[in-house]
Amino acid sequence: RKYRYYDNDTCNLDFSNLIDDIRAMPDGSCVLLHACAHNPTGMDPSLDQWKQISDVVMEKNLLPFFDCAYQGFASGDARKDAAAIRLFVERGHKLALVQSFSKNFGLYGQRVGALSVVADTPEEAQRVFSQLKVHIRPSYSNPPRHGARIV
């Protein structure tokens, strides 16, 4: 399925269709959102638009899954580029976040990144962590540490 988020005619964010497509998602779905410097368009919602996205995500009981690979590149300010994530957390969303530090720290090939999950309770966080370990352990025993230590 194609999702409408970019208007090729105006080379801008197609916000109304983006919202309509999120509204059309089945309740409880996971929605992938780029936190900043949207790849491949570079078009980011404004903070007011992020609030509207947050409202619809909450109404539909969706799980926001943020991809944040270019933090600091959109505005030049890493804190500003994480505003959408903070907004969602402050509004009470449970969410998942993947961050790559390969680009913003110039550590290509080091596979430096993180997966963070915001849960409602410590018990829920422990259950999520337990499931993550089940999936991570067979994938790699000891991830490389060189790049992570630099970051």
Side-chain angles (χ1 to χ4, degrees):
R1 166 172 168 124
K2 290 187 177 185
Y3 294 96
R4 301 166 297 168
Y5 59 88
Y6 186 71
D7 185 335
N8 286 315
D9 294 333
T10 64
C11 297
N12 212 334
L13 184 67
D14 186 352
F15 187 72
S16 62
N17 280 323
L18 178 139
I19 288 292
D20 288 346
D21 285 348
I22 294 173
R23 274 201 177 96
M25 295 179 74
D27 289 0
S29 295
C30 180
V31 58
L32 176 64
L33 302 166
H34 284 214
C36 65
H38 178 268
N39 186 1
T41 67
M43 297 283 96
D44 294 332
S46 68
L47 195 54
D48 285 337
Q49 289 171 326
W50 275 117
K51 289 175 184 175
Q52 292 176 59
I53 293 169
S54 168
D55 291 342
V56 175
V57 167
M58 193 70 84
E59 288 167 18
K60 298 288 293 181
N61 193 33
L62 304 177
L63 174 66
F65 190 99
F66 279 96
D67 177 353
C68 188
Y70 299 98
Q71 187 175 357
F73 286 2
S75 70
D77 181 339
R79 286 193 50 78
K80 183 177 179 183
D81 288 354
I85 300 162
R86 281 194 311 279
L87 173 77
F88 273 61
V89 171
E90 289 164 2
R91 288 175 145 223
H93 289 272
K94 292 189 280 186
L95 61 84
L97 162 67
V98 288
Q99 291 175 282
S100 169
F101 302 107
S102 297
K103 296 166 189 70
N104 51 7
F105 281 90
L107 296 170
Y108 294 96
Q110 296 299 323
R111 314 313 284 159
V112 182
L115 167 64
S116 302
V117 178
V118 175
D120 279 336
T121 65
E123 295 77 22
E124 182 181 48
Q126 188 58 43
R127 288 192 305 272
V128 170
F129 185 57
S130 173
Q131 291 301 304
L132 289 172
K133 287 192 295 187
V134 166
H135 292 284
I136 291 171
R137 183 71 177 156
S139 297
Y140 55 83
S141 180
N142 293 300
R145 290 194 240 176
H146 177 70
R149 285 184 173 159
I150 292 171
V151 172

PDB file of all heavy atoms in Angstrom, residues 87-105:
ATOM      1  N   LEU A  87       7.218  15.198  22.502  1.00  0.00           N
ATOM      2  CA  LEU A  87       5.800  15.544  22.499  1.00  0.00           C
ATOM      3  C   LEU A  87       4.937  14.295  22.714  1.00  0.00           C
ATOM      4  O   LEU A  87       4.024  14.296  23.539  1.00  0.00           O
ATOM      5  CB  LEU A  87       5.423  16.222  21.175  1.00  0.00           C
ATOM      6  CG  LEU A  87       3.940  16.493  20.970  1.00  0.00           C
ATOM      7  CD1 LEU A  87       3.510  17.701  21.789  1.00  0.00           C
ATOM      8  CD2 LEU A  87       3.628  16.694  19.501  1.00  0.00           C
ATOM      9  N   PHE A  88       5.237  13.232  21.994  1.00  0.00           N
ATOM     10  CA  PHE A  88       4.454  12.007  22.108  1.00  0.00           C
ATOM     11  C   PHE A  88       4.588  11.410  23.510  1.00  0.00           C
ATOM     12  O   PHE A  88       3.600  10.960  24.097  1.00  0.00           O
ATOM     13  CB  PHE A  88       4.873  10.994  21.038  1.00  0.00           C
ATOM     14  CG  PHE A  88       4.147  11.152  19.729  1.00  0.00           C
ATOM     15  CD1 PHE A  88       4.251  12.324  18.988  1.00  0.00           C
ATOM     16  CD2 PHE A  88       3.358  10.134  19.222  1.00  0.00           C
ATOM     17  CE1 PHE A  88       3.598  12.480  17.787  1.00  0.00           C
ATOM     18  CE2 PHE A  88       2.684  10.271  18.015  1.00  0.00           C
ATOM     19  CZ  PHE A  88       2.799  11.457  17.295  1.00  0.00           C
ATOM     20  N   VAL A  89       5.789  11.421  24.063  1.00  0.00           N
ATOM     21  CA  VAL A  89       5.994  10.894  25.416  1.00  0.00           C
ATOM     22  C   VAL A  89       5.234  11.753  26.423  1.00  0.00           C
ATOM     23  O   VAL A  89       4.525  11.227  27.295  1.00  0.00           O
ATOM     24  CB  VAL A  89       7.501  10.816  25.765  1.00  0.00           C
ATOM     25  CG1 VAL A  89       7.703  10.486  27.239  1.00  0.00           C
ATOM     26  CG2 VAL A  89       8.201   9.775  24.881  1.00  0.00           C
ATOM     27  N   GLU A  90       5.343  13.068  26.314  1.00  0.00           N
ATOM     28  CA  GLU A  90       4.656  13.977  27.236  1.00  0.00           C
ATOM     29  C   GLU A  90       3.143  13.819  27.171  1.00  0.00           C
ATOM     30  O   GLU A  90       2.446  14.037  28.166  1.00  0.00           O
ATOM     31  CB  GLU A  90       5.050  15.429  26.943  1.00  0.00           C
ATOM     32  CG  GLU A  90       6.476  15.752  27.328  1.00  0.00           C
ATOM     33  CD  GLU A  90       7.000  17.045  26.698  1.00  0.00           C
ATOM     34  OE1 GLU A  90       6.240  17.731  25.977  1.00  0.00           O
ATOM     35  OE2 GLU A  90       8.191  17.361  26.933  1.00  0.00           O
ATOM     36  N   ARG A  91       2.630  13.427  26.014  1.00  0.00           N
ATOM     37  CA  ARG A  91       1.184  13.257  25.849  1.00  0.00           C
ATOM     38  C   ARG A  91       0.719  11.858  26.259  1.00  0.00           C
ATOM     39  O   ARG A  91      -0.458  11.538  26.105  1.00  0.00           O
ATOM     40  CB  ARG A  91       0.793  13.540  24.397  1.00  0.00           C
ATOM     41  CG  ARG A  91       0.888  15.012  24.073  1.00  0.00           C
ATOM     42  CD  ARG A  91       0.631  15.277  22.606  1.00  0.00           C
ATOM     43  NE  ARG A  91      -0.072  16.540  22.486  1.00  0.00           N
ATOM     44  CZ  ARG A  91      -1.104  16.747  21.677  1.00  0.00           C
ATOM     45  NH1 ARG A  91      -1.540  15.795  20.905  1.00  0.00           N
ATOM     46  NH2 ARG A  91      -1.667  17.931  21.631  1.00  0.00           N
ATOM     47  N   GLY A  92       1.628  11.036  26.746  1.00  0.00           N
ATOM     48  CA  GLY A  92       1.233   9.740  27.295  1.00  0.00           C
ATOM     49  C   GLY A  92       1.238   8.572  26.327  1.00  0.00           C
ATOM     50  O   GLY A  92       0.692   7.514  26.645  1.00  0.00           O
ATOM     51  N   HIS A  93       1.846   8.734  25.179  1.00  0.00           N
ATOM     52  CA  HIS A  93       1.921   7.617  24.243  1.00  0.00           C
ATOM     53  C   HIS A  93       2.924   6.572  24.732  1.00  0.00           C
ATOM     54  O   HIS A  93       3.994   6.919  25.220  1.00  0.00           O
ATOM     55  CB  HIS A  93       2.421   8.091  22.862  1.00  0.00           C
ATOM     56  CG  HIS A  93       1.447   8.915  22.110  1.00  0.00           C
ATOM     57  ND1 HIS A  93       0.496   8.377  21.282  1.00  0.00           N
ATOM     58  CD2 HIS A  93       1.280  10.260  22.046  1.00  0.00           C
ATOM     59  CE1 HIS A  93      -0.212   9.347  20.732  1.00  0.00           C
ATOM     60  NE2 HIS A  93       0.248  10.512  21.179  1.00  0.00           N
ATOM     61  N   LYS A  94       2.571   5.320  24.566  1.00  0.00           N
ATOM     62  CA  LYS A  94       3.574   4.265  24.621  1.00  0.00           C
ATOM     63  C   LYS A  94       4.169   4.267  23.219  1.00  0.00           C
ATOM     64  O   LYS A  94       3.450   4.441  22.236  1.00  0.00           O
ATOM     65  CB  LYS A  94       2.935   2.909  24.912  1.00  0.00           C
ATOM     66  CG  LYS A  94       2.365   2.816  26.308  1.00  0.00           C
ATOM     67  CD  LYS A  94       1.930   1.419  26.636  1.00  0.00           C
ATOM     68  CE  LYS A  94       0.586   1.110  26.028  1.00  0.00           C
ATOM     69  NZ  LYS A  94       0.071  -0.203  26.463  1.00  0.00           N
ATOM     70  N   LEU A  95       5.468   4.103  23.108  1.00  0.00           N
ATOM     71  CA  LEU A  95       6.066   4.153  21.776  1.00  0.00           C
ATOM     72  C   LEU A  95       7.362   3.367  21.728  1.00  0.00           C
ATOM     73  O   LEU A  95       7.919   2.991  22.757  1.00  0.00           O
ATOM     74  CB  LEU A  95       6.293   5.605  21.330  1.00  0.00           C
ATOM     75  CG  LEU A  95       7.213   6.504  22.150  1.00  0.00           C
ATOM     76  CD1 LEU A  95       8.669   6.326  21.768  1.00  0.00           C
ATOM     77  CD2 LEU A  95       6.807   7.959  21.927  1.00  0.00           C
ATOM     78  N   ALA A  96       7.797   3.144  20.516  1.00  0.00           N
ATOM     79  CA  ALA A  96       9.111   2.552  20.263  1.00  0.00           C
ATOM     80  C   ALA A  96       9.899   3.567  19.438  1.00  0.00           C
ATOM     81  O   ALA A  96       9.332   4.316  18.640  1.00  0.00           O
ATOM     82  CB  ALA A  96       8.978   1.233  19.517  1.00  0.00           C
ATOM     83  N   LEU A  97      11.203   3.561  19.661  1.00  0.00           N
ATOM     84  CA  LEU A  97      12.084   4.506  18.981  1.00  0.00           C
ATOM     85  C   LEU A  97      13.362   3.782  18.584  1.00  0.00           C
ATOM     86  O   LEU A  97      13.977   3.112  19.416  1.00  0.00           O
ATOM     87  CB  LEU A  97      12.419   5.665  19.928  1.00  0.00           C
ATOM     88  CG  LEU A  97      13.636   6.539  19.598  1.00  0.00           C
ATOM     89  CD1 LEU A  97      13.408   7.332  18.315  1.00  0.00           C
ATOM     90  CD2 LEU A  97      13.948   7.463  20.767  1.00  0.00           C
ATOM     91  N   VAL A  98      13.727   3.888  17.327  1.00  0.00           N
ATOM     92  CA  VAL A  98      15.036   3.415  16.898  1.00  0.00           C
ATOM     93  C   VAL A  98      15.857   4.632  16.509  1.00  0.00           C
ATOM     94  O   VAL A  98      15.372   5.550  15.861  1.00  0.00           O
ATOM     95  CB  VAL A  98      14.966   2.401  15.729  1.00  0.00           C
ATOM     96  CG1 VAL A  98      14.435   1.065  16.203  1.00  0.00           C
ATOM     97  CG2 VAL A  98      14.128   2.919  14.583  1.00  0.00           C
ATOM     98  N   GLN A  99      17.089   4.646  16.986  1.00  0.00           N
ATOM     99  CA  GLN A  99      18.005   5.737  16.683  1.00  0.00           C
ATOM    100  C   GLN A  99      19.273   5.152  16.091  1.00  0.00           C
ATOM    101  O   GLN A  99      19.772   4.132  16.554  1.00  0.00           O
ATOM    102  CB  GLN A  99      18.367   6.511  17.956  1.00  0.00           C
ATOM    103  CG  GLN A  99      17.233   7.306  18.525  1.00  0.00           C
ATOM    104  CD  GLN A  99      17.612   7.940  19.838  1.00  0.00           C
ATOM    105  OE1 GLN A  99      17.630   7.267  20.848  1.00  0.00           O
ATOM    106  NE2 GLN A  99      17.936   9.225  19.801  1.00  0.00           N
ATOM    107  N   SER A 100      19.765   5.807  15.079  1.00  0.00           N
ATOM    108  CA  SER A 100      21.057   5.464  14.512  1.00  0.00           C
ATOM    109  C   SER A 100      22.002   6.614  14.805  1.00  0.00           C
ATOM    110  O   SER A 100      21.642   7.774  14.648  1.00  0.00           O
ATOM    111  CB  SER A 100      20.945   5.276  12.992  1.00  0.00           C
ATOM    112  OG  SER A 100      22.229   5.200  12.426  1.00  0.00           O
ATOM    113  N   PHE A 101      23.208   6.265  15.246  1.00  0.00           N
ATOM    114  CA  PHE A 101      24.215   7.284  15.497  1.00  0.00           C
ATOM    115  C   PHE A 101      25.335   7.216  14.471  1.00  0.00           C
ATOM    116  O   PHE A 101      26.321   7.929  14.579  1.00  0.00           O
ATOM    117  CB  PHE A 101      24.764   7.146  16.924  1.00  0.00           C
ATOM    118  CG  PHE A 101      23.681   7.248  17.962  1.00  0.00           C
ATOM    119  CD1 PHE A 101      23.250   6.139  18.649  1.00  0.00           C
ATOM    120  CD2 PHE A 101      23.068   8.460  18.214  1.00  0.00           C
ATOM    121  CE1 PHE A 101      22.243   6.235  19.588  1.00  0.00           C
ATOM    122  CE2 PHE A 101      22.051   8.569  19.150  1.00  0.00           C
ATOM    123  CZ  PHE A 101      21.640   7.449  19.841  1.00  0.00           C
ATOM    124  N   SER A 102      25.153   6.355  13.467  1.00  0.00           N
ATOM    125  CA  SER A 102      26.180   6.200  12.437  1.00  0.00           C
ATOM    126  C   SER A 102      26.382   7.482  11.647  1.00  0.00           C
ATOM    127  O   SER A 102      27.507   7.860  11.350  1.00  0.00           O
ATOM    128  CB  SER A 102      25.802   5.063  11.487  1.00  0.00           C
ATOM    129  OG  SER A 102      25.747   3.839  12.180  1.00  0.00           O
ATOM    130  N   LYS A 103      25.276   8.151  11.317  1.00  0.00           N
ATOM    131  CA  LYS A 103      25.380   9.347  10.477  1.00  0.00           C
ATOM    132  C   LYS A 103      25.804  10.575  11.273  1.00  0.00           C
ATOM    133  O   LYS A 103      26.754  11.263  10.922  1.00  0.00           O
ATOM    134  CB  LYS A 103      24.044   9.584   9.777  1.00  0.00           C
ATOM    135  CG  LYS A 103      23.681   8.473   8.814  1.00  0.00           C
ATOM    136  CD  LYS A 103      22.227   8.566   8.404  1.00  0.00           C
ATOM    137  CE  LYS A 103      21.791   7.364   7.627  1.00  0.00           C
ATOM    138  NZ  LYS A 103      21.698   6.138   8.421  1.00  0.00           N
ATOM    139  N   ASN A 104      25.096  10.846  12.387  1.00  0.00           N
ATOM    140  CA  ASN A 104      25.381  12.095  13.093  1.00  0.00           C
ATOM    141  C   ASN A 104      26.690  12.056  13.886  1.00  0.00           C
ATOM    142  O   ASN A 104      27.194  13.108  14.268  1.00  0.00           O
ATOM    143  CB  ASN A 104      24.200  12.551  13.956  1.00  0.00           C
ATOM    144  CG  ASN A 104      23.671  11.495  14.880  1.00  0.00           C
ATOM    145  OD1 ASN A 104      24.235  10.421  15.006  1.00  0.00           O
ATOM    146  ND2 ASN A 104      22.573  11.798  15.527  1.00  0.00           N
ATOM    147  N   PHE A 105      27.262  10.885  14.091  1.00  0.00           N
ATOM    148  CA  PHE A 105      28.578  10.807  14.727  1.00  0.00           C
ATOM    149  C   PHE A 105      29.665  10.390  13.736  1.00  0.00           C
ATOM    150  O   PHE A 105      30.812  10.203  14.120  1.00  0.00           O
ATOM    151  CB  PHE A 105      28.552   9.842  15.916  1.00  0.00           C
ATOM    152  CG  PHE A 105      27.948  10.441  17.151  1.00  0.00           C
ATOM    153  CD1 PHE A 105      26.594  10.329  17.393  1.00  0.00           C
ATOM    154  CD2 PHE A 105      28.727  11.135  18.059  1.00  0.00           C
ATOM    155  CE1 PHE A 105      26.015  10.886  18.523  1.00  0.00           C
ATOM    156  CE2 PHE A 105      28.168  11.700  19.191  1.00  0.00           C
ATOM    157  CZ  PHE A 105      26.808  11.574  19.427  1.00  0.00           C
TER     158      PHE A 105
END
